[in-house]
């Protein structure tokens, strides 16, 4: 396995994601990182986001409409709600029925590492827009 080192850039990016509740895009992380590291490039941000995702330190959330991926620091298991009108992305609790879900009896599945639930609809701020 290739040995990796923790870089200052990676640390800044991880701090941004762990402190944010807004599920920023890579471009937003880039703008925030430039406040601390003015010479950081967008490519460096993307490479480090991918590395941190692959290491399980951050989570990539891909929207259903094909828009930009959003990122968050690793947290307790939860689902996400996507508003189709304003593109808000909110953390919501996993339904209780999913907490103890087991797949041992399912043919072809040996292990489940993550359940990624995305609920899509209208947020309370856009509920009027949904009726039109």
């Amino acid at each position: 396995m290739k040995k990796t080192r923790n870089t200052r850039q990676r640390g800044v990016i991880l701090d941004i994601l762990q402190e944010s509740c807004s599920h920023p895009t890579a471009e937003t992380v880039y703008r925030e990182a430039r406040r601390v590291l003015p010479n950081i490039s967008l490519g460096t941000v993307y490479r480090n986001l991918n590395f941190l995702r692959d290491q399980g330190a951050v989570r990539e959330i891909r929207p259903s409409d094909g828009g930009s991926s959003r990122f968050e620091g690793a947290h307790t298991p939860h689902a996400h709600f996507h508003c189709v009108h304003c593109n808000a992305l909110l953390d919501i609790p996993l339904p209780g029925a999913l907490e103890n879900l087991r797949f041992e009896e399912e043919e072809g599945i040996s292990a489940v590492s993550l359940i990624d639930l995305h609920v899509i609809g209208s947020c309370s701020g856009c509920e009027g827009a949904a009726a039109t």
Side-chain angles (χ1 to χ4, degrees):
M1 186 169 162
K2 182 179 176 184
K3 185 176 180 180
T4 60
R5 60 187 178 100
N6 289 326
T7 64
R8 180 151 190 250
Q9 293 95 337
R10 191 172 298 147
V12 167
I13 292 166
L14 187 56
D15 287 345
I16 290 167
L17 291 173
Q18 289 176 335
E19 294 171 8
S20 175
C21 295
S22 66
H23 305 90
T25 63
E27 291 80 9
T28 302
V29 172
Y30 168 67
R31 285 192 302 273
E32 289 292 318
R34 283 184 54 102
R35 293 179 185 193
V36 179
L37 303 166
N39 294 326
I40 195 169
S41 70
L42 183 57
T44 297
V45 170
Y46 272 106
R47 278 190 300 280
N48 279 285
L49 285 171
N50 290 333
F51 175 84
L52 291 166
R53 180 203 57 217
D54 293 346
Q55 297 300 308
V58 303
R59 187 169 167 195
E60 180 178 7
I61 305 149
R62 294 185 178 152
S64 61
D65 64 359
S68 296
S69 289
R70 311 269 285 273
F71 295 87
E72 70 180 353
H75 298 292
T76 58
H78 60 275
H80 291 100
F81 175 84
H82 295 259
C83 178
V84 296
H85 301 286
C86 69
N87 292 319
L89 180 61
L90 309 170
D91 290 343
I92 57 175
L94 278 174
L98 294 179
E99 289 181 9
N100 296 313
L101 190 60
R102 300 288 180 254
F103 293 94
E104 289 87 10
E105 302 298 319
E106 296 294 324
E107 186 175 328
I109 298 175
S110 74
V112 174
S113 59
L114 172 71
I115 295 175
D116 194 6
L117 177 63
H118 296 266
V119 179
I120 301 167
S122 299
C123 70
S124 58
C126 293
E127 64 187 339
T132 60

